[in-house]
Amino acid sequence: MNKIVLIRHGESTWNKLNQFTGWHDVDLTENGGREAKLAAKLLKKENFYFDEAHTSVLKRAINTLWSIMNDLQQPWLPVKKTWRLNERHYGALEGLNKHETLLKYGEKTVVAWRRSFDAIPPQIKISDIRFPGNDRRYSNVDIKDIPLGESLELTVNRVVPYWKKNILPNLKKNKKIIVVAHGNSLRALIQYLKKIDINHISELNIPTAIPIILEFDKQWIAQKYYFLQ
């Protein structure tokens, strides 16, 4: 079986505070750092090595990847960073406490924003300080492509083109690849590859820093995925 390793970043400071994070660039907690080391330990136990890595442009994912690569003695690994692997943008929810948001908007609405396929959270305006276009790391991104708030469906629409152009072709060349990204960018990718029914996508949860092994057949159709424990 052909394989790829997918990992969500370790626990971040806003994960710990139960805040909607999205594209906001927060650090790992001490526990998140430990989670990254545990991920490396699990990969090392199974004799994984890699030819290249892909990650987002957010430091919680980048630092998780660096930690894993250092512990695997592969700090030299070529790394491609892209905004297309960023967490979904939570729009006007970014920075808000999730419990307080439930009390304000109601559980049904918030659960739909968080877990459904097509529900879009309240969007921000370009004038909002949280608009990613104000960040120099996105200076080369067409402003029309920078989100104001995303559903999982919209996240799929930006993740999949990167998969098709930058990851799948190298998998087909038998390169061993690791992707360290975010809960929803990985949910988006798995939904697309495994053709998960959009009515059941809420059941797919990606825990922090647990390696996911995704296997493909000879036709590069995703067959199964499982967590290293």
Side-chain angles (χ1 to χ4, degrees):
M1 279 285 184
N2 304 294
K3 300 177 180 179
I4 188 171
V5 175
L6 311 175
I7 303 179
R8 180 186 176 190
H9 62 81
E11 181 190 61
S12 75
T13 55
W14 278 20
N15 290 149
K16 187 175 182 179
L17 292 172
N18 200 32
Q19 291 174 266
F20 287 100
T21 311
W23 284 33
H24 191 72
D25 203 14
V26 297
D27 284 313
L28 295 175
T29 61
E30 288 187 12
N31 182 56
R34 289 191 293 269
E35 289 179 331
K37 287 187 170 294
L38 177 58
K41 185 177 181 180
L42 292 170
L43 292 169
K44 195 170 185 178
K45 180 180 178 182
E46 298 297 325
N47 297 313
F48 275 93
Y49 67 92
F50 301 100
D51 298 307
E52 68 179 50
H54 299 258
T55 189
S56 72
V57 296
L58 299 172
K59 60 188 174 185
R60 58 191 186 272
I62 295 169
N63 290 339
T64 299
L65 175 61
W66 281 349
S67 177
I68 292 170
M69 291 299 95
N70 278 328
D71 286 357
L72 292 180
Q73 301 298 309
Q74 286 193 274
W76 46 265
L77 199 71
V79 178
K80 297 180 181 179
K81 302 182 185 75
T82 175
W83 65 274
R84 290 185 178 274
L85 291 176
N86 277 13
E87 178 59 289
R88 65 180 284 200
H89 195 292
Y90 276 107
L93 302 182
E94 186 177 290
L96 300 183
N97 179 274
K98 293 176 183 177
H99 178 68
E100 292 175 356
T101 306
L102 277 173
L103 296 177
K104 181 177 180 179
Y105 293 102
E107 182 176 1
K108 183 177 180 180
T109 297
V110 175
V111 168
W113 286 337
R114 293 187 62 193
R115 306 298 299 173
S116 74
F117 186 70
D118 55 1
I120 301 174
Q123 297 192 317
I124 59 172
K125 297 180 179 180
I126 290 179
S127 58
D128 194 303
I129 191 172
R130 294 170 293 181
F131 176 58
N134 298 318
D135 191 320
R136 62 182 296 179
R137 82 189 76 187
Y138 306 112
S139 60
N140 293 324
V141 181
D142 191 316
I143 194 169
K144 298 190 299 296
D145 292 329
I146 298 177
L148 303 174
E150 294 176 298
S151 62
L152 186 65
E153 181 179 22
L154 292 174
T155 309
V156 170
N157 291 343
R158 64 167 161 87
V159 169
V160 170
Y162 185 82
W163 166 264
K164 290 181 176 179
K165 182 178 179 181
N166 298 94
I167 300 178
L168 182 58
N170 287 344
L171 276 179
K172 290 181 176 180
K173 295 176 184 176
N174 294 318
K175 289 191 174 183
K176 308 300 182 185
I177 298 176
I178 181 171
V179 177
V180 179
H182 305 263
N184 281 295
S185 52
L186 294 179
R187 285 179 76 224
L189 182 58
I190 292 172
Q191 189 279 329
Y192 166 75
L193 292 173
K194 287 293 294 170
K195 297 179 172 55
I196 297 174
D197 189 302
I198 62 174
N199 294 313
H200 298 294
I201 192 60
S202 63
E203 300 167 13
L204 176 59
N205 183 53
I206 309 294
T208 53
I210 302 296
I212 303 167
I213 313 304
L214 183 60
E215 296 186 349
F216 300 84
D217 63 18
K218 293 181 179 179
Q219 286 72 47
W220 294 100
I221 297 173
Q223 294 300 305
K224 67 177 181 177
Y225 67 92
Y226 53 92
F227 296 91
L228 284 186
Q229 301 283 358

